[in-house]
Amino acid sequence: MTIDPPRELDWAERWNRVFTVLAVEPRREIIRSLLDEPRERRLPLPEAAESPNQSMESETFALQLRHHHLPTLTDAGYIRWESDPFCVQRGPNFEEPAFFIEAVLGSKDKIPTSLINNCKILQEMTGTGTD
């Protein structure tokens, strides 16, 4: 049995893309913010991308969102965004990154302590905060 290279490449690209997208916190936060929202609901930015783990001046953060994070998410089909008003909503491929975020959130009791340490979001979720 032979494997069709284009299909194999498409499969590998999809997996690589989802992990690349989720490798950066603002993009994870956008996906997490949209999880419980209906497909048509728009969330305001930069609020939907903010995290207690980040401390960044709002204008700088918005600029990074517009020029880096939002295009990356949009190119993958994970979100749609608008600049006026500055907002985000689910895209046609949203379920791909959502699957991974939901899997992590659903197994929060199994997350290794080394991944919880210094992450305010996971500390809050697991009740292990030191504040």
Side-chain angles (χ1 to χ4, degrees):
M1 180 170 146
T2 62
I3 296 174
D4 180 8
R7 293 184 70 101
E8 177 68 21
L9 185 60
D10 180 54
W11 173 87
E13 285 178 353
R14 292 184 91 74
W15 279 87
N16 291 342
R17 180 177 60 197
V18 76
F19 286 117
T20 298
V21 166
L22 294 176
V24 181
E25 187 167 26
R27 297 192 295 245
R28 288 191 302 270
E29 281 305 299
I30 289 170
I31 299 302
R32 189 170 78 105
S33 295
L34 291 168
L35 277 179
D36 295 325
E37 302 297 333
R39 179 173 295 278
E40 65 281 352
R41 173 94 192 270
R42 293 183 174 114
L43 297 180
L45 289 167
E47 292 85 357
E50 290 175 347
S51 161
N53 294 317
Q54 307 168 79
S55 61
M56 190 177 298
E57 192 267 315
S58 183
E59 219 171 286
T60 301
F61 187 51
L63 192 64
Q64 287 182 351
L65 287 172
R66 289 178 194 272
H67 294 284
H68 184 63
H69 301 303
L70 296 172
T72 299
L73 287 160
T74 300
D75 289 348
Y78 298 157
I79 59 126
R80 293 185 175 112
W81 69 282
E82 297 175 20
S83 58
D84 191 23
F86 195 31
C87 62
V88 64
Q89 73 182 103
R90 291 180 177 201
N93 298 330
F94 178 79
E95 69 279 351
E96 292 175 9
F99 166 78
F100 289 97
I101 298 297
E102 288 175 326
V104 169
L105 297 177
S107 30
K108 63 184 177 189
D109 296 336
K110 298 178 183 176
I111 298 172
T113 304
S114 59
L115 295 177
I116 296 172
N117 291 341
N118 300 315
C119 178
K120 294 175 184 171
I121 295 167
L122 291 176
Q123 287 175 343
E124 180 181 305
M125 284 175 35
T126 60
T128 60
T130 58
D131 299 344

